Amino acid sequence: MNARKRVALLVAGAVLGGGLAAAAPATATTASAQSGWTARGYSSDVAGAHASGKVYTRNDGRVQLTGTLKDTRTDGKVAILQISARYADGGKRYEFDVTGSSKALGSAGGYSFARSVRSIRVQECVGHKGASGKYYLDRCGSGWHEIW
């Protein structure tokens, strides 16, 4: 086999092999891939709270955020996690979770976002509950951490 044919076969094999290798895992893992997240160590971190969990694409295409929020100080304050999502159409969604000790995020095991969600960010805060029952932020991390 001459050098020209050998190079052509190598290039064709690399292109074909690379294409198959890239395409197969993308479809196989999209629905089951999970990414662990934490606010610790990022600008979203604040002393007195600790939030961490998983974010993944469900089989139906929705993005699921799960995790826990812990109050790490016995100072009479509550830990608050702010969650901010942005969608492909420019829409936004804001959620917050509050705990006095430790609990799972969301009332039904987390938060579910439409498949068009483009980013999800979190920020830990410490706050208090006012007389009216409304929560107030006393101190938050200096920024937000993008987890999706």
Side-chain angles (χ1 to χ4, degrees), residues 34 37 52-56 58 62-69 81 83 93 95-97 103-113:
Q34 292 192 10
W37 65 269
S52 63
K54 302 259 184 220
V55 62
Y56 58 95
R58 301 183 332 194
R62 293 184 66 83
V63 175
Q64 186 73 29
L65 182 147
T66 62
T68 57
L69 174 62
L81 180 69
I83 304 164
R93 175 177 170 189
E95 300 283 351
F96 73 94
D97 228 274
K103 74 169 196 159
L105 295 177
S107 59
Y111 294 94
S112 175
F113 299 88

Side-chain angles (χ1 to χ4, degrees), residues 23-113:
T27 55
T29 59
T30 299
S32 62
Q34 292 192 10
S35 297
W37 65 269
T38 182
R40 183 170 286 166
Y42 296 95
S43 63
S44 57
D45 189 11
V46 70
H50 176 65
S52 63
K54 302 259 184 220
V55 62
Y56 58 95
T57 303
R58 301 183 332 194
N59 288 334
D60 63 2
R62 293 184 66 83
V63 175
Q64 186 73 29
L65 182 147
T66 62
T68 57
L69 174 62
K70 297 177 183 175
D71 185 341
T72 60
R73 289 192 175 165
T74 54
D75 57 2
K77 304 284 184 180
V78 294
I80 301 171
L81 180 69
Q82 298 190 98
I83 304 164
S84 173
R86 292 185 190 269
Y87 291 91
D89 66 359
K92 297 176 185 175
R93 175 177 170 189
Y94 172 80
E95 300 283 351
F96 73 94
D97 228 274
V98 179
T99 186
S101 57
S102 177
K103 74 169 196 159
L105 295 177
S107 59
Y111 294 94
S112 175
F113 299 88

